[in-house]
Amino acid sequence: MPLTAYLIVSAVIFTIGVIGVLIRRNPLIIFMSIELMLNAVNLSFVALSHFLDSVDGQMFVFLVLTVAAAEVVVGLALIVSIFRTRHNIDVDEMNVLRG
Amino acid sequence: MTFTYSVSPQDWLGIAPIVVLVLMVLLTMSVDLLLPHAGKRSKHSGPANFAVLPIVALVGVLLALAVTIALFFIEHPASAFNNMIGSDNGTLYAYLIILIAGGLGVLLSPAYLKRLNLVHQGEYYALMLLAMTGMLLMAGATNFAIVFVGLEIFSLALYILCSFIDQRPTSQEAGMKYFLLSSFASAFLLYGISLIYAATGHTSFIDIQSFVATHSHGHAPLLLLTGMALLTVGFAFKVSAVPFQSWTPDVYQGAPAPVTAFMSIGTKVAALLAFVRVFGFMLSSVQNDWMPVVWGIAVLTIVAGNLMALGQSNIKRMLAYSSIAHGGYLLIGIVVSGAGQRHIGASAILFYLSCYLFMNIGAFGVISLLERRDNSGYELAELRGLWYRNPWLAGLLAFFLLALAGFPPMVGFAGKYYLFYAALVGGHPELLIIGILASVLGIYYYLRFIATMFMEGREGIRGTGRGESYGTARPEVPVTPTRRPIRNAVPAASSVTAVAERPLPTKVTSPVIRTSEPEPTRELEWMSWLALGIAALGTLVVGIILPFWLPTIQQAAQQLMR
C-alpha cells in the first residue's frame, strides 16, 4: 500500500476525533475523541517511520502512548472529583466561570 | 535503521538543572511520607507542619538555580543528547526565568495553603517542581520529541494544580476546562509535528532547518505548510494567543492564586521559547509563509486582549486578559525573529519575559493574600477602599499594576521599550504603533482598579467598623509575639492586616463551603511577604539594571537561534 493511504486514514481518524470533541458534551466522550486524535497521529508516525526508514517516528509513538496513558489517569481523576461535588459532568453545565 | 549514540558526562551536565529538579521531586514526596500527619480521618489529613515541605521544594529550586548559574561559567557543549535539548546560554537564561518564577510561586504557597486548609501539600509541591521540570524541558528543547514530552509533563502537573482545591467548584471547573482544551491543542501540535516529520523526515530542529533550507526554495511544500499551520494552532493555544485564548481567563480565575502566578509566567516562557525556536530558527527559510499568520495573531492578541480586559470587574480575570495582551506583545518578538533580525527578536522575548516575571507574579501574589476559599475576595467591589484597610497590600498591588501598565521607572516600561524597539529594527513599525496604542488603552483598566482601591470606600470603613467587604480594619489584637516569634523578624509582616479575616455571610456561593469555614490563619504569611518583597524589588531594580546587560542577552539569544 502506498504511504498516502496510511496518511489519508490517519487524517480521517483525526478529523473524526476533532468533530467528536466539538459536538459531544460529555467529558468522557470528548476525552475518548482526544484519544482518537492521538492514535491517528500514532498511525501516521508508524507509517512514516516505515516509509522514511527512520527510528524517530517509532520513538514518538512510544512517547505518545505513555503520555496518553498519563492523561487518562489525570483526566478520569478530574472527572470523578467533579462528579462527586456536582453529580453532573456535562460540560455545558460547567459555566460558573465566564465573562 | 540502526542508530547508536553513546551518552557522555557532558550530556548530563547540559541537563543538570532538570536532573536536580527531578531528584528534588522524589525527595519532596519522600519527606511528605515521613512527616507526622495531622487529623483523624485519612482523607483530610496532611503533614502537621506546613513549613517543611515548602522549604524542601524551595531548596530544590535554589539548587537548580545554583546549578544553572554555575553552568554559565562551566565549559559545556551547546546542546546535549545528540541535539535533543539545548544547553546554550539562551536556554540557561530561560531556565533562570522559569526557576525564579517557580521559586516565587513556591514561596507564595504555604500561607495560602494554610489559610485555605489544603492539607495535601506533598503532592502540591512535588507537582510544582514537576511543572517546572516540564517547562525547563520545553524551553530547552531542540527536538520535537522533547517539546512534546516537556509540554505534557508541565501540562499534566498543572491540570492537577489548577483543580487542587477540591471543594471549590470553580477550581475543578478550571482544571477540567484546562485539561480538555489543552489536550485538544496538544493533539493538534502533535499532528503538526507528524506532518513536518512526513515532509522532512526529521524531528530534530537543526536537521529540519537544513532540510528546509536546501529543499524549499523560499516556499514550503503543501505538507510542510499544513504542518506549520497545525503547529501554529498548538503554540498559539499554549501562549494563549487570541483565537485560542478562551481557556485563559477561566483557568486563571479558578486556579489557586499561587498556581496562577507561577503558571502565567512558566507556561509562557516554555511555549514562547519553543515557538521562537521552531519558527524563528527552524523554519526561518520559509518565513514568508508563516510570518503573515503570526503577525495577524500578534495584532489580534494585542488588540483583543486589551479590549476584553476593559470590561472586567474581577481583578484575577482582568490580569488574565492582561496576560493575553502581554502574550501578544511577546509575539512581536517572534514576528521580528523571522524578519532577518533573529537574535534581536529572541532577545526581546527573553528580556520582556524577565521583566514580566516580577510584576505579574507580584500582582498575583497580592491576590493570593486576598483570595478566600470560595474564590471570592478580589472583586472590584471587594477591593473598594483597600488602601484604608490594608495600605501595604493596596500599595503593592498598585505598584505592580502600574508596572504592568508600563510606567517608566518600573520594569514594564523597559521591557516594552526594547520590544517595540525590536519591532522597529525588524522592519515592523506598524506593530510599534499598534502596541503603543494598545498600551495606552491598557492604562485605563489598570488605573481603574487602583482608583477603586484608593479613592472609594473610605466611608464604609470609617463607619461602624462593618466594612462592605472582608476584614473591617486592622485587627485590634495584634498577633502575640510569644506565639509567633518569627513574625518579628520580618518588618513587613508586622503590618499585615486582616486579610480574608471574615467570610461574607451573603457571599457564600457553594453548598460545600458553607460548612463553617475555620478561622482564617495568617501563619506563614511572612513567606508570601518575602515573595512580594522580592517581586517588588525585581520590578523596581531589573528595569534599571538589566538594560545594561542587553548585549549579553543578545549574545545568549544568538546562541539560542544558532
Side-chain angles (χ1 to χ4, degrees), chain B residues 339-427:
Chain B
Q341 296 288 342
R342 280 160 44 185
H343 68 286
I344 299 269
S347 64
I349 290 178
L350 286 178
F351 184 70
Y352 196 84
L353 281 171
S354 40
C355 295
Y356 184 54
L357 154 74
F358 291 106
M359 47 191 189
N360 208 41
I361 288 213
F364 278 115
V366 173
I367 294 171
S368 85
L369 288 174
L370 292 168
E371 187 171 309
R372 278 197 301 264
R373 197 187 176 97
D374 59 349
N375 209 3
S376 65
Y378 49 80
E379 285 281 335
L380 189 63
E382 289 167 295
L383 290 176
R384 283 184 66 200
L386 187 66
W387 170 250
Y388 303 103
R389 277 171 284 146
N390 196 332
W392 278 98
L393 271 187
L396 274 173
L397 188 53
F399 175 73
F400 291 127
L401 289 181
L402 284 176
L404 282 166
F407 277 88
M410 279 87 89
V411 275
F413 176 75
K416 277 208 183 87
Y417 184 89
Y418 186 52
L419 205 53
F420 293 156
Y421 164 79
L424 207 57
V425 172

Side-chain angles (χ1 to χ4, degrees), chain A:
Chain A
M1 268 208 289
L3 175 62
T4 330
Y6 291 101
L7 289 186
I8 288 175
V9 171
S10 146
V12 168
I13 299 178
F14 190 84
T15 318
I16 293 173
V18 173
I19 294 170
V21 171
L22 294 179
I23 64 171
R24 299 305 289 264
R25 298 274 63 100
N26 185 322
L28 281 172
I29 310 280
I30 294 178
F31 193 40
M32 282 160 60
S33 305
I34 290 172
E35 293 293 310
L36 207 58
M37 292 163 75
L38 291 181
N39 284 317
V41 176
N42 277 347
L43 179 62
S44 76
F45 266 125
V46 172
L48 287 168
S49 170
H50 180 74
F51 279 90
L52 295 169
D53 197 25
S54 91
V55 285
D56 292 9
Q58 299 193 10
M59 175 193 71
F60 241 103
V61 171
F62 283 106
L63 295 178
V64 175
L65 283 177
T66 320
V67 163
E71 273 191 351
V72 169
V73 173
V74 174
L76 291 186
L78 273 179
I79 292 172
V80 168
S81 130
I82 288 185
F83 186 75
R84 274 193 190 151
T85 30
R86 53 173 87 181
H87 302 289
N88 179 5
I89 51 171
D90 195 302
V91 283
D92 285 336
E93 304 287 319
M94 281 184 228
N95 52 9
V96 183
L97 298 167
R98 60 180 152 190

Side-chain angles (χ1 to χ4, degrees), chain B residues 480-493:
Chain B
T480 46
T482 47
R483 264 187 60 213
R484 299 192 195 108
I486 193 95
R487 292 175 56 84
N488 290 338
V490 182

Side-chain angles (χ1 to χ4, degrees), chain B residues 3-231:
Chain B
F3 175 78
T4 47
Y5 177 77
S6 48
V7 176
S8 69
Q10 294 282 310
D11 288 333
W12 292 105
L13 192 64
I15 60 161
I18 297 168
V19 174
V20 168
L21 272 185
V22 172
L23 291 178
M24 289 311 285
V25 171
L26 298 178
L27 186 69
T28 312
M29 289 196 280
S30 320
V31 170
D32 179 42
L33 289 178
L34 297 176
L35 280 180
H37 280 232
K40 294 187 185 69
R41 299 208 331 224
S42 63
K43 193 181 158 197
H44 299 298
S45 79
N49 192 327
F50 271 80
V52 171
L53 284 166
I55 287 169
V56 172
L58 212 56
V59 167
V61 176
L62 289 178
L63 274 179
L65 262 177
V67 169
T68 313
I69 292 169
L71 274 181
F72 275 108
F73 302 104
I74 299 174
E75 197 67 30
H76 65 280
S79 78
F81 292 98
N82 191 26
N83 280 326
M84 274 284 178
I85 184 160
S87 52
D88 50 89
N89 282 354
T91 308
L92 293 178
Y93 190 82
Y95 285 3
L96 283 186
I97 304 175
I98 295 173
L99 288 171
I100 293 174
L104 291 178
V106 169
L107 260 182
L108 286 171
S109 302
Y112 185 88
L113 294 185
K114 179 85 185 163
R115 189 154 47 77
L116 270 67
N117 201 20
L118 300 169
V119 287
H120 302 287
Q121 309 154 59
E123 294 89 328
Y124 182 91
Y125 292 108
L127 286 169
M128 281 289 245
L129 293 180
L130 264 182
M132 270 176 251
T133 314
M135 287 162 186
L136 295 193
L137 274 175
M138 192 180 178
T142 53
N143 186 311
F144 274 125
I146 304 293
V147 171
F148 179 66
V149 170
L151 171 72
E152 288 299 331
I153 290 178
F154 83 71
S155 297
L156 284 170
L158 286 178
Y159 302 150
I160 310 173
L161 284 174
C162 285
S163 54
F164 199 78
I165 311 175
D166 57 350
Q167 288 170 340
R168 183 205 273 180
T170 51
S171 175
Q172 290 178 334
E173 188 179 323
M176 195 71 213
K177 279 179 173 166
Y178 191 30
F179 170 70
L180 288 178
L181 291 172
S182 179
S183 7
F184 190 49
S186 298
F188 274 98
L189 188 79
L190 203 56
Y191 200 50
I193 294 172
S194 96
L195 290 183
I196 287 185
Y197 178 56
T200 63
H202 298 285
T203 56
S204 165
F205 290 177
I206 197 151
D207 292 340
I208 297 176
Q209 199 265 342
S210 56
F211 185 93
V212 173
T214 48
H215 288 76
S216 68
H217 313 296
H219 274 289
L222 186 64
L223 204 55
L224 184 60
L225 212 57
T226 323
M228 280 158 60
L230 290 168
L231 272 187

